[in-house]
Amino acid sequence: MKKLKTAITEADLLQAGKEGLERARSLDAMQALGKWKGMDVFAWANPHFDALSTVISSFPFPVIWVGKQSQIKCAVKYYPEILDTIETVVICDHGSVKMSGEAIFNLEKVAATGDLDSAMKIVASFDDARRVFLFTTEGDTSLSDLNKFQAYIYG
């Protein structure tokens, strides 16, 4: 059997490491997107639930959370303390809330839409700017979801 030689230089390793860090920063880290309708806006793809819970609990204003049903269901089930900070939940990937018996129903404002456009219309209807707007996504569509969300915020 013939051995293949691979020539990897130190520069190649440094470049690969730099690219990996940039990917991690751009996709899997929470991004502060500035203000939209007076709200502080954050986006986060594939958040780790411990970190997500800590961040949500530390926000100084009530939180409007737009996200996928599986994320919201998991966070509420295992970190119910976040419900003290969350004012509104908008599920953006299902047209109905499928969380029977879950603590999420302790919130006054819960909505479910089949898509991000409809979810954004709901959030755009809020008047009081003293809120935090958090968008989360996960899975194979994370990058396209983030791009679509950012286009809506900056558009």
Side-chain angles (χ1 to χ4, degrees):
M1 185 180 284
K2 187 176 181 181
K3 286 189 176 181
L4 295 175
K5 285 188 175 181
T6 56
I8 298 176
T9 66
E10 184 177 346
D12 292 334
L13 290 173
L14 288 173
Q15 182 63 29
K18 182 179 176 184
E19 289 171 2
L21 283 173
E22 288 301 317
R23 272 194 310 278
R25 283 188 192 123
S26 66
L27 186 59
D28 291 338
M30 185 173 73
Q31 301 172 16
L33 302 178
K35 296 258 187 199
W36 181 71
K37 293 184 60 72
M39 295 181 277
D40 295 316
V41 180
F42 300 90
W44 202 345
N46 304 306
H48 187 274
F49 287 106
D50 285 336
L52 179 63
S53 170
T54 301
V55 167
I56 289 173
S57 296
S58 70
F59 282 134
F61 299 113
V63 175
I64 298 169
W65 183 8
V66 173
K68 294 195 174 183
Q69 182 164 278
S70 59
Q71 288 181 303
I72 293 168
K73 184 175 183 176
C74 183
V76 167
K77 181 176 181 178
Y78 295 106
Y79 302 94
E81 65 275 7
I82 66 174
L83 293 172
D84 294 337
T85 309
I86 296 173
E87 175 193 70
T88 304
V89 166
V90 182
I91 297 166
C92 66
D93 64 337
H94 286 283
S96 63
V97 180
K98 297 181 181 180
M99 298 185 193
S100 61
E102 298 291 335
I104 195 168
F105 292 109
N106 293 329
L107 293 170
E108 289 182 29
K109 298 176 186 173
V110 178
T113 66
D115 59 80
L116 184 56
D117 289 329
S118 299
M120 292 302 291
K121 287 177 185 171
I122 291 171
V123 177
S125 71
F126 293 123
D127 292 329
D128 184 9
R130 294 178 52 93
R131 289 186 174 93
V132 171
F133 180 13
L134 173 65
F135 171 72
T136 61
T137 186
E138 65 182 355
D140 295 338
T141 62
S142 293
L143 185 57
S144 62
D145 292 344
L146 283 176
N147 289 337
K148 189 173 190 176
F149 179 73
Q150 289 177 356
Y152 198 94
I153 294 298
Y154 295 135

